[in-house]
Amino acid sequence: MNRRDALRLLAAVLAGGGAGLVWAGPRVLAVRAWPGKESTRVTIESDAELRFFVSSLANPDRTVVDISDVQADATFQKALETLRNDTGVLSRARIGQYRPDTARLVLELKGRAEAAAFVLPPVGPYRHRLVIDLTPVDADDPIASFLSKILEREAQLERAAAEADAAAARAPPVLPPVLPSKPVPAPPPPVATRPPTQRHVKPYVVVLDPGHGGEDPGAVGPGGTYEKDVVLAIAHQTRQLLEQDPRVVVFMTREEDVFIPLADRVRKARSVNADVFISIHADAFTRPDVRGSSVFTLSERGASSTAAKWIADKENQSDLIGGVRLVGRDPMLARMLLEMSQSITNADSLKLGRGLVTELKPVGKMHKGTVEHAGFAVLRAPDIPSALVETAFISNPEEELKLRSAAHQLKLARAIRGGIRRFLATQPMRA
């Protein structure tokens, strides 16, 4: 036993009057797992910051996390029992006492995975957290899969355009009626025409961004409804409605209950060459009587109302709650998002927002009857018309009940679809 452990043990003995020994190190409060197609996140919450060492082992594949100054006691064991095993790349988790002052957490995996771990300070309802992200080595790339989907849809549109051209060429000409007793001027000389050619048409790409997810529940209604669950359901319904039009393909920044950092949401939209970006939320306010839908576009100068600023500040804290590993972030991306001129994109975003407001008004009360502006980080794509829709205030008991209703979710999805279609109707097909 080293000097530090001896002093800790002595302090525990003195604190207990010598009647028993109480471990004075950090205590584990909870263990959670969030499975996803791209990665699985394991979070260990404790009452003090944890010191750790992560290693990977093969045959069988597993990630080992040695946590210093922690006991694999009944409290830790009970917390681990709540962990959903057989989820994502994680097959099973177990804990043991590796050394007297070190607990060893073994994460048994379904295959090879890269492990990245980092700690987060207390924020919101959370205490100290140790986050372990497990990314399968052979995981499918959702961006690449979606780009392939775009190519398939493009080929379908080209075939349909070619068939329409061929049908028009085969149709007999419509002759004008002959007017009697009037001289008919001689027709102009024939002009050489080329047969119709196959048109190269690209579909519109719409990115839907359900807010929050995973460790970050977003706003929580008085009845316990999580914002992250409601907006994910609305986004899925909106995608189904939009893709009824063969000229539209939809990408979702998250399709399941996982956390996506704000900058990654923007990066994904730019990676798929989005024509439209819609972030979907259901926020809360300090008063339960506040209600109604809102539509926001980016403002570089300041929020259009006190509530808009409060909501934007709250949404921009999502990375702190969900947990972002800051090491290795690309400074060029951050600089580009901050410095690039967005005047043309902001004008298109306003046009998009106005269409959304028009479609949302028949669904229910609007918090404001016009597009609002605030500095939402998720709207900072410099080349994509973007808007954020607050479907309702989940902090209002009546609106919380509506948001939990599948029928009302469908009404909101139809309104969002309608707003997007209004905007796309003003845009040329991309070639």
Side-chain angles (χ1 to χ4, degrees):
M1 180 180 297
N2 57 35
R3 182 173 180 273
R4 183 191 61 200
D5 294 334
L7 290 174
R8 182 181 286 111
L9 181 61
L10 177 60
V13 171
L14 293 176
L21 301 181
V22 179
W23 184 257
R27 291 184 303 112
V28 171
L29 305 175
V31 183
R32 298 178 289 273
W34 306 100
K37 296 178 181 178
E38 298 180 54
S39 67
T40 294
R41 169 166 288 190
V42 177
T43 302
I44 303 172
E45 189 172 3
S46 59
D47 63 356
E49 183 174 331
L50 299 177
R51 296 189 301 116
F52 62 94
F53 179 78
V54 178
S55 58
S56 297
L57 301 174
N59 300 320
D61 294 305
R62 56 204 186 277
T63 294
V64 177
V65 185
D66 290 331
I67 309 173
S68 303
D69 305 326
V70 167
Q71 294 289 291
D73 54 14
T75 303
F76 201 157
Q77 295 282 358
K78 186 175 181 179
L80 197 62
E81 290 174 3
T82 65
L83 186 66
R84 292 179 294 170
N85 289 323
D86 193 25
T87 181
V89 71
L90 178 63
S91 176
R92 189 168 75 94
R94 50 188 169 86
I95 187 73
Q97 198 66 41
Y98 178 56
R99 289 196 298 262
D101 64 342
T102 303
R104 169 163 285 185
L105 176 65
V106 179
L107 304 173
E108 299 180 3
L109 309 176
K110 298 175 183 177
R112 287 196 309 133
E114 296 179 354
F118 55 97
V119 295
L120 296 171
V123 61
Y126 297 112
R127 303 289 296 276
H128 293 271
R129 286 172 293 165
L130 167 59
V131 177
I132 305 124
D133 285 333
L134 305 169
T135 304
V137 173
D138 57 351
D140 293 335
D141 182 356
I143 301 295
S145 299
F146 185 76
L147 292 177
S148 297
K149 179 180 179 180
I150 292 177
L151 292 177
E152 292 175 5
R153 187 63 59 85
E154 183 179 340
Q156 294 173 5
L157 292 174
E158 288 177 350
R159 286 195 296 269
E163 291 171 1
D165 285 343
R170 291 193 301 268
V174 178
L175 299 177
V178 178
L179 300 178
S181 68
K182 283 189 178 182
V184 179
V191 177
T193 59
R194 291 182 298 176
T197 57
Q198 189 175 17
R199 285 172 282 176
H200 185 69
V201 180
K202 291 184 179 180
Y204 295 115
V205 178
V206 175
V207 172
L208 298 178
D209 173 49
H212 309 281
E215 192 81 350
D216 173 21
V220 182
T225 307
Y226 285 173
E227 177 186 0
K228 66 175 184 177
D229 297 331
V230 168
V231 299
L232 182 61
I234 294 171
H236 276 298
Q237 294 201 50
T238 306
R239 176 169 67 176
Q240 292 177 5
L241 292 172
L242 281 167
E243 291 198 332
Q244 291 175 1
D245 186 339
R247 300 170 301 167
V248 177
V249 288
V250 178
F251 180 85
M252 290 173 55
T253 57
R254 69 177 183 96
E255 299 183 2
E256 50 201 345
D257 187 15
V258 295
F259 172 75
I260 308 292
L262 299 177
D264 284 358
R265 296 168 186 261
V266 177
R267 178 189 59 80
K268 288 185 175 188
R270 301 192 75 243
S271 296
V272 298
N273 300 314
D275 295 292
V276 176
F277 178 90
I278 303 290
S279 193
I280 305 175
H281 293 258
D283 218 325
F285 195 56
T286 52
R287 300 200 325 262
D289 60 313
V290 176
R291 61 187 303 160
S293 302
S294 303
V295 176
F296 293 89
T297 59
L298 180 67
S299 170
E300 296 291 351
R301 297 182 179 179
S304 55
S305 70
T306 301
K309 184 179 186 307
W310 189 89
I311 292 170
D313 291 344
K314 187 170 178 294
E315 295 293 358
N316 290 346
Q317 291 176 2
S318 180
D319 282 355
L320 299 177
I321 296 173
V324 177
R325 182 169 177 258
L326 297 177
V327 177
R329 304 301 291 183
D330 185 358
M332 292 297 293
L333 174 63
R335 186 157 51 248
M336 176 193 67
L337 294 176
L338 290 174
E339 296 178 355
M340 223 170 169
S341 171
Q342 296 188 310
S343 58
I344 297 177
T345 299
N346 286 352
D348 279 341
S349 297
L350 183 58
K351 187 186 301 182
L352 170 64
R354 286 170 177 162
L356 289 165
V357 168
T358 300
E359 293 289 334
L360 283 165
K361 280 182 177 179
V363 177
K365 175 181 172 60
M366 296 293 295
H367 181 63
K368 293 256 184 178
T370 58
V371 178
E372 295 197 73
H373 312 283
F376 290 96
V378 78
L379 299 181
R380 291 186 179 275
D383 49 357
I384 305 172
S386 305
L388 184 144
V389 177
E390 293 287 357
T391 54
F393 280 87
I394 204 170
S395 50
N396 182 295
E398 294 181 8
E399 293 203 328
E400 180 190 17
L401 287 176
K402 286 185 176 180
L403 288 171
R404 295 173 63 170
S405 162
H408 189 70
Q409 291 172 4
L410 180 58
K411 289 181 181 179
L412 291 167
R414 285 173 174 160
I416 295 171
R417 188 264 308 262
I420 294 171
R421 292 178 68 177
R422 281 176 177 269
F423 175 74
L424 293 180
T426 68
Q427 305 298 302
M429 289 291 285
R430 298 193 311 173

